[in-house]
Amino acid sequence: MRRITHQILHSEKDAAVIAMDALSDRELHDASHLTEDQLSLRYKLTPTDARQTVLRDRWLATPDVKLSDYRFEARFDWIEIGVSTNKPVVPVHDVQPKLKKALDDPIRGGVHVTSKLNRNKLEETRDLLILLHDPSRRRFEKIFNVLEQQFGVMGSEGWVQHEVWSWELAVDIYPKRTRARDDDDMIARRVQMSELIRKHVAPSPMLMTGMFLDPKDWMRSHDGVELMPQFAGSLGQRAQHLKDTHKLHLSAADPDNHRAAAIDNTVYIAAKYRVGKYRLQDKIRDKRKRGQRTPPLPVDERRTRIEITVGSHQDTGLEERYETGINTIDDIASYSFDTLRRDLFNFELPTLAKDETGHPAEEELAVFSKTGSLGLKLMAQGRRVIERAKGIRDGTGRLLLPVRQKAHNLRFEDLNCKIRDALKAVATTFEEG
């Protein structure tokens, strides 16, 4: 198993090295020939100097990466809308070919039509779901013209009544060719960024509470063959006072239950049927077809990708909605994507406890190397949940307070700003594409 190191740098003479799995054994990756030193992601440590108790006497770990050496781009990967015809029913299988013909754009993404009731393509219905890849206002106008003229969907001047049902937004991060020495340096920089993203992702708070702590929602990785949870799921018999404690908190509280994801694996957060879910990729190929790998992309097109899907895309979740304010296609032009960044595209920096020698605690280093800032947060939250369940109290006799939402983490402002700036261009790209 190839390995890559993450170095936590105290000074030029003193460094703690964290090893983690870099490449799985199942796929040939374009970085397989590079050395450990070329792939290493290094971190700088600075004292937190914070007054808050939760951050006091800790090390702030910041990746030693120049974000200005990367290009950030954001766009809708697809948008799904719901429409209703004024006819009693229309055959679903008749709609898609006509929409595809109207688009007449074989280079760009396709269109898929299903029944809103159960996403069946073979039945007759008056309520349709239409999913358009590579969406733009111009492409939706073509679709709306067909829906109004041929299938009786209510509208005027080519703009039909509809509702945005779900969408997927992607942020792509490319190493800049002008900052790289050669192709190998381009590859190494991309691998470092892909690892950085998964180490610092901070999912929306809605994915950290209640039903989203179900084991199906846990952070997990897929190598194209096997799905592997990043937190151990077998916890054995639980004590009576922990019966109501979520399994994720119980699992994450123990550092031995954390599992690293290979860099060539895709990382998922939240179950497929949820109204919000994440996918993190080191993208060197376009999508697979039935498990077969497509040829690698040109080096300059390989990238780190963050995908967030909002809205239900599964039968079982149709009753769940996550309100973002994008209710129709018209809303996109005036939508504040900075709000979306704050709600969904958050990244955090970890702070690490000091051991008796002043070095980062080995336990926290081990967790960070496997599950990143999110793993550290879940470990802190899980331990406090268990302490409260056991009735452990502070010096005043009160139950210990719950750990705050960010736990011991801080906002990764520089990266969040880069994402924000990329998102600002989404509306323009949609309107002009």
Side-chain angles (χ1 to χ4, degrees):
M1 175 76 74
R2 284 289 315 282
R3 298 178 79 84
I4 147 185
T5 61
H6 289 55
Q7 295 180 340
I8 302 289
L9 303 177
H10 297 268
S11 67
E12 292 299 323
K13 297 181 180 180
D14 188 10
V17 178
I18 313 171
M20 66 160 296
D21 293 337
L23 305 172
S24 76
D25 292 329
R26 300 185 186 277
E27 283 191 281
L28 178 64
H29 193 269
D30 66 345
S32 59
H33 66 288
L34 299 181
T35 66
E36 181 178 289
D37 186 62
Q38 288 174 295
L39 295 174
S40 292
L41 179 59
R42 295 172 174 85
Y43 281 79
K44 296 178 180 178
L45 288 185
T46 54
T48 54
D49 292 331
R51 295 182 179 180
Q52 304 100 306
T53 301
V54 72
L55 297 173
R56 192 179 302 155
D57 199 28
R58 299 177 70 86
W59 290 109
L60 174 64
T62 306
D64 189 19
V65 171
K66 290 184 179 180
L67 297 180
S68 59
D69 288 349
Y70 295 84
R71 185 176 82 254
F72 291 72
E73 296 181 358
R75 65 180 181 86
F76 282 111
D77 200 12
W78 52 259
I79 296 175
E80 183 180 51
I81 62 168
V83 299
S84 297
T85 74
N86 59 7
K87 297 181 178 181
V89 292
V90 296
V92 172
H93 60 83
D94 283 352
V95 182
Q96 183 167 312
K98 291 184 171 67
L99 296 183
K100 184 177 180 179
K101 182 179 180 180
L103 290 172
D104 190 27
D105 194 351
I107 297 178
R108 303 186 68 176
V111 61
H112 302 278
V113 182
T114 57
S115 163
K116 185 184 294 186
L117 178 63
N118 57 16
R119 298 187 179 274
N120 193 321
K121 294 183 179 182
L122 301 178
E123 67 176 38
E124 294 183 341
T125 181
R126 68 181 303 270
D127 299 313
L128 301 168
L129 288 177
I130 299 169
L131 188 151
L132 177 63
H133 289 273
D134 296 331
S136 69
R137 173 175 285 272
R138 178 182 61 83
R139 301 188 84 209
F140 268 114
E141 286 175 349
K142 292 181 178 181
I143 286 176
F144 289 166
N145 281 330
V146 174
L147 292 175
E148 181 182 9
Q149 295 172 15
Q150 299 188 38
F151 295 101
V153 177
M154 297 295 293
S156 60
E157 298 181 356
W159 207 245
V160 306
Q161 294 178 6
H162 67 280
E163 179 185 17
V164 172
W165 194 261
S166 58
W167 45 261
E168 184 170 273
L169 192 62
V171 175
D172 290 313
I173 309 174
Y174 301 82
K176 291 180 179 177
R177 171 61 74 175
T178 55
R179 307 295 176 86
R181 294 183 299 274
D182 50 29
D183 281 357
D184 282 353
D185 196 28
M186 287 283 287
I187 292 169
R189 287 170 182 263
R190 189 205 71 241
V191 168
Q192 290 168 357
M193 178 55 67
S194 295
E195 188 59 33
L196 184 153
I197 289 298
R198 64 179 66 184
K199 284 293 178 286
H200 296 277
V201 65
S204 167
M206 76 171 184
L207 300 183
M208 305 296 289
T209 58
M211 65 181 179
F212 287 97
L213 293 178
D214 185 274
K216 291 182 180 179
D217 295 306
W218 296 7
M219 186 162 60
R220 57 209 183 276
S221 67
H222 201 286
D223 63 359
V225 178
E226 183 180 6
L227 188 66
M228 294 157 284
Q230 289 191 244
F231 299 98
S234 179
L235 302 172
Q237 186 68 30
R238 279 189 277 179
Q240 185 62 38
H241 61 272
L242 298 177
K243 289 291 187 182
D244 295 328
T245 303
H246 285 292
K247 291 180 180 180
L248 179 56
H249 281 148
L250 290 174
S251 180
D254 184 349
D256 290 339
N257 288 334
H258 292 241
R259 303 285 184 267
I263 194 64
D264 50 342
N265 287 5
T266 298
V267 172
Y268 298 88
I269 303 173
K272 287 184 177 181
Y273 59 85
R274 293 304 189 194
V275 294
K277 43 192 172 286
Y278 293 73
R279 181 164 58 182
L280 312 176
Q281 295 175 278
D282 183 57
K283 193 171 181 63
I284 65 175
R285 294 179 173 86
D286 279 329
K287 64 181 67 176
R288 295 182 179 90
K289 295 182 178 180
R290 298 186 181 274
Q292 296 180 353
R293 287 183 298 161
T294 55
L297 293 164
V299 172
D300 286 17
E301 295 180 21
R302 300 175 198 175
R303 59 204 183 267
T304 299
R305 168 164 278 211
I306 309 159
E307 290 179 351
I308 293 183
T309 305
V310 172
S312 175
H313 195 48
Q314 293 286 328
D315 301 348
T316 55
L318 283 174
E319 72 282 357
E320 299 176 18
R321 299 299 301 273
Y322 180 62
E323 299 299 333
T324 63
I326 301 178
N327 299 313
T328 71
I329 297 302
D330 283 328
D331 293 330
I332 294 174
S334 60
Y335 184 71
S336 173
F337 283 90
D338 190 38
T339 300
L340 187 68
R341 206 288 306 159
R342 292 194 301 270
D343 287 347
L344 296 174
F345 286 90
N346 267 300
F347 295 86
E348 294 175 352
L349 293 170
T351 67
L352 304 169
K354 296 180 180 178
D355 63 19
E356 60 277 4
T357 68
H359 289 71
E362 287 296 328
E363 180 181 70
E364 295 197 359
L365 287 176
V367 168
F368 180 69
S369 73
K370 297 173 183 176
T371 52
S373 300
L374 178 57
L376 286 172
K377 179 193 300 188
L378 288 171
M379 181 175 72
Q381 292 174 342
R383 288 181 170 180
R384 182 54 54 86
V385 166
I386 292 171
E387 289 170 342
R388 287 171 57 84
K390 290 180 177 179
I392 296 176
R393 300 176 180 271
D394 62 20
T396 67
R398 297 178 179 176
L399 277 176
L400 297 174
L401 293 174
V403 172
R404 65 178 191 158
Q405 180 181 310
K406 290 196 294 290
H408 301 289
N409 294 342
L410 294 172
R411 288 189 294 270
F412 195 164
E413 295 287 10
D414 290 346
L415 180 55
N416 288 338
C417 286
K418 287 288 187 181
I419 300 292
R420 179 201 64 198
D421 291 344
L423 290 172
K424 287 180 178 179
V426 170
T428 301
T429 301
F430 176 82
E431 293 294 318
E432 298 178 355

